[in-house]
Amino acid sequence: MKLLNLTFATSILSASLLMACSSSNDDKEVVRFNLADASRMEQFNNLKIKDFKYVALDTVSEALLGESAMIQGIAGDTVIICDNLERVLLFTLSNGKLIREINHKGQGPGEYSWLDHIYVDRPAREVVLNTPNNFAHRYTFSDSLVTTYHYDAPSFKRLSIGSLSKGINTYEERESGFVIHQLDKNFRQTDSIVIDGYKLGYRSGSFSNLGDEGVITIVDTLYTIKPGKLERLAILDRNGKTITPEIEKELDQMMQVDFEGAMKKQNEYINLLGWFASDNDKMEVIYQSEGTSFFDFFRMNDGKLLAHLQLSDTRADEKGLPVEYEGSTLYLNPIFCQDGIWYAVIPENATIEAEKDADNVICNAAIASFRFEEE
C-alpha cells in the first residue's frame, strides 16, 4: 500500500490556484475554464443535439421516482437509477419498462438503513450498494445477494466516490487536513493520500465523480484521483471569487446569527455544486453565481466556453437545455454521461405525457439520451 503526503498552504489567497509539488503532473500545462467570465455572460448554447431519444418510464405506484432520482449507470439495455439514496430501480432503456426494484432497507443480513453510493459492475450485471456503516452489499440485477463486504474505514462526512473499475475513494477529515482512503473493488484498502494544510468544506471543495473516476477540487484546481496520487485536470478560474476554507468558516459563523446576511455574502462568490460530467471532448461544470445555478460546457483541449445555461430548480420552470421534440419543448439537466452519450432524467411535471395530460399513460418520469456536437 502506497502513501502520498501533500501539503497545501492556504494563506496565499491571491493566487488563482495552489498546487502540490509532489502531485504527478505539476509541470504539465492543464486546461483553464474561465468560470468568472462565463458567469457574467448572457445565456447561450453553441452545441447541437443529435441522436436524441426519449422514453417514458412505466413507473407504477410502488416505483414512483422522486425529485432526487439519478442515473448511476447503463449496462447494455438496462438503466440503473438510484432514488434518494434508498433504493435502486432497473428499467429497460429502449422502452422504459420497469425490470425490478432493489430495495433492502432494514437491519438484517443484506439490508441497510440508507446508501452512501451505488457502484455498477456492468460486465457482471451487478450493483454494489455501499453504506456509511463500513459494509457494502453486492446484488445481481435479478436481486440476488452475492456477498457482503466488511471493511475498516474511519468515520467520514462525505459520500464515497469512484468506481469498481478505477478504484473507490473515501474521505476522512483530520485536524491537520484530510485523508483519501483508496479501496479496490473488493473494498480492500490499497492506497492513501494525505492532504495537510487544507480543510475541505462543502463550499470550499468538491469530492465527486467524473465518469468512473473520482475528482476533487482544491482551491481552483480540479484533480483526478488516481491510485496513490492526484493529477491536475483543469483550472476552474473564478478570479478571486473562490470560497476558501477561511471564507467558509466565516460564512458558517455568520449563519448562526444572520442567515440572510450570510447568504448574501455567499452569493458574492462562485460556488461549485460538485457535479461534473464529460464525453472526453467537452466537460460540464455546474456552479452557482449570485444565487443562480448554471451549467456550462467547455471544450477540453483549449477551455473554450461552448454553452452557458441556467440550471432548472423546479424541473418544470423552462430552465435547462431546451430540446424540441414532438411539438413540445423539453428542458433538460444533463448531468450524467457514459460512453459519449448524455442522459437526463425528466421528472413527472416536465414530461411530454404531463404536458399532454395523458391520463391513460402510467408515467411519472422519462429519460432523454443524446450526443453533442459543436454548431
Side-chain angles (χ1 to χ4, degrees), residues 212-228:
D212 286 339
E213 292 188 307
V215 292
I216 186 172
T217 54
I218 300 178
V219 194
D220 279 350
T221 305
L222 177 65
Y223 293 89
T224 304
I225 304 173
K226 301 289 188 180

Side-chain angles (χ1 to χ4, degrees), residues 2-4 6 23-25 28 161-162 166-169 180-183 190-194 207 210 212-216 222-233 280:
K2 295 179 287 184
L3 175 66
L4 176 66
L6 305 179
S23 63
S24 65
N25 62 339
K28 179 182 176 181
I161 60 171
K166 295 293 183 70
I168 299 163
N169 303 286
I180 300 172
H181 297 279
Q182 300 182 284
L183 315 175
T190 56
D191 301 287
S192 290
I193 302 173
V194 180
F207 189 68
L210 178 64
D212 286 339
E213 292 188 307
V215 292
I216 186 172
L222 177 65
Y223 293 89
T224 304
I225 304 173
K226 301 289 188 180
K229 61 185 179 181
L230 300 180
E231 287 189 357
R232 290 188 301 142
L233 179 62
N280 295 321

Side-chain angles (χ1 to χ4, degrees), residues 23-86:
S23 63
S24 65
N25 62 339
D26 276 353
D27 296 330
K28 179 182 176 181
E29 190 71 24
V30 295
V31 67
R32 179 181 298 268
F33 301 150
N34 195 328
L35 300 185
D37 285 353
S39 66
R40 295 190 293 266
M41 291 183 176
E42 295 292 328
Q43 295 186 64
F44 75 96
N45 179 26
N46 288 339
L47 293 173
K48 183 169 63 175
I49 287 179
K50 65 176 185 177
D51 302 332
F52 182 83
K53 296 178 182 178
Y54 174 98
V55 57
L57 302 179
D58 67 341
T59 47
V60 292
S61 58
E62 64 267 24
L64 293 177
L65 292 177
E67 287 287 322
S68 58
M70 299 281 290
I71 296 174
Q72 301 297 312
I74 311 293
D77 195 31
T78 301
V79 56
I80 301 94
I81 296 178
C82 175
D83 191 19
N84 199 33
L85 286 177
E86 292 183 348

Side-chain angles (χ1 to χ4, degrees), residues 89-108:
L89 295 167
L90 307 181
F91 294 90
T92 302
L93 186 58
S94 57
N95 60 21
K97 296 294 183 182
L98 175 65
I99 299 172
R100 68 181 43 84
E101 175 184 5
I102 300 177
N103 184 358
H104 297 281
K105 291 196 69 176
Q107 302 297 322

Side-chain angles (χ1 to χ4, degrees), residues 141-152:
F141 282 6
S142 58
D143 199 17
S144 296
L145 178 63
V146 177
T147 189
T148 294
Y149 304 102
H150 297 273
Y151 58 96
D152 294 325

Side-chain angles (χ1 to χ4, degrees), residues 9-29:
T10 60
S11 59
I12 308 175
L13 301 182
S14 60
S16 63
L17 61 116
L18 300 174
M19 295 178 289
C21 61
S22 55
S23 63
S24 65
N25 62 339
D26 276 353
D27 296 330
K28 179 182 176 181
E29 190 71 24

Side-chain angles (χ1 to χ4, degrees), residues 75-348:
D77 195 31
T78 301
V79 56
I80 301 94
I81 296 178
C82 175
D83 191 19
N84 199 33
L85 286 177
E86 292 183 348
R87 59 186 183 149
V88 175
L89 295 167
L90 307 181
F91 294 90
T92 302
L93 186 58
S94 57
N95 60 21
K97 296 294 183 182
L98 175 65
I99 299 172
R100 68 181 43 84
E101 175 184 5
I102 300 177
N103 184 358
H104 297 281
K105 291 196 69 176
Q107 302 297 322
E111 296 180 335
Y112 51 84
S113 297
W114 63 282
L115 297 174
D116 167 275
H117 195 101
I118 291 86
Y119 295 98
V120 180
D121 190 334
R122 289 190 279 170
R125 297 186 62 79
E126 296 173 346
V127 292
V128 178
L129 312 181
N130 191 30
T131 78
N133 300 313
N134 294 7
F135 59 85
H137 306 301
R138 179 182 281 267
Y139 280 90
T140 66
F141 282 6
S142 58
D143 199 17
S144 296
L145 178 63
V146 177
T147 189
T148 294
Y149 304 102
H150 297 273
Y151 58 96
D152 294 325
S155 175
F156 49 90
K157 296 182 179 180
R158 288 174 178 262
L159 303 181
S160 62
I161 60 171
S163 66
L164 300 175
S165 60
K166 295 293 183 70
I168 299 163
N169 303 286
T170 66
Y171 170 91
E172 177 196 0
E173 184 174 300
R174 291 186 177 179
E175 185 64 30
S176 60
F178 63 92
V179 179
I180 300 172
H181 297 279
Q182 300 182 284
L183 315 175
D184 65 14
K185 65 180 181 180
N186 295 312
F187 288 81
R188 295 175 299 209
Q189 184 157 354
T190 56
D191 301 287
S192 290
I193 302 173
V194 180
I195 309 293
D196 286 325
Y198 195 89
K199 293 284 190 178
L200 191 71
Y202 286 98
R203 303 180 196 88
S204 57
S206 60
F207 189 68
S208 55
N209 261 56
L210 178 64
D212 286 339
E213 292 188 307
V215 292
I216 186 172
T217 54
I218 300 178
V219 194
D220 279 350
T221 305
L222 177 65
Y223 293 89
T224 304
I225 304 173
K226 301 289 188 180
K229 61 185 179 181
L230 300 180
E231 287 189 357
R232 290 188 301 142
L233 179 62
I235 307 303
L236 308 177
D237 190 351
R238 287 171 274 178
N239 192 28
K241 291 187 175 183
T242 301
I243 297 179
T244 64
E246 292 82 358
I247 293 172
E248 180 161 17
K249 183 177 180 180
E250 181 183 345
L251 289 171
D252 288 341
Q253 292 172 345
M254 284 184 65
M255 285 186 177
Q256 298 177 22
V257 295
D258 182 9
F259 181 82
E260 186 176 330
M263 293 305 297
K264 183 177 180 181
K265 182 175 178 61
Q266 178 176 298
N267 288 341
E268 298 173 2
Y269 298 92
I270 297 175
N271 184 24
L272 296 175
L273 298 182
W275 286 329
F276 304 94
S278 173
D279 59 9
N280 295 321
D281 179 52
K282 298 164 288 296
M283 181 180 288
E284 178 186 31
V285 181
I286 300 178
Y287 62 93
Q288 191 173 73
S289 177
E290 298 182 354
T292 301
S293 300
F294 297 97
F295 60 97
D296 291 354
F297 288 89
F298 296 89
R299 192 188 291 154
M300 294 208 53
N301 64 352
D302 61 7
K304 180 181 178 180
L305 181 64
L306 302 174
H308 172 64
L309 296 164
Q310 191 170 345
L311 189 73
S312 173
D313 296 318
T314 66
R315 300 200 178 194
D317 54 8
E318 298 189 356
K319 299 175 185 175
L321 180 69
V323 179
E324 299 296 327
Y325 182 72
E326 291 190 355
S328 299
T329 303
L330 300 171
Y331 293 89
L332 310 180
N333 290 337
I335 57 176
F336 180 83
C337 185
Q338 180 180 298
D339 300 329
I341 302 175
W342 296 83
Y343 298 88
V345 176
I346 305 172
E348 181 177 14

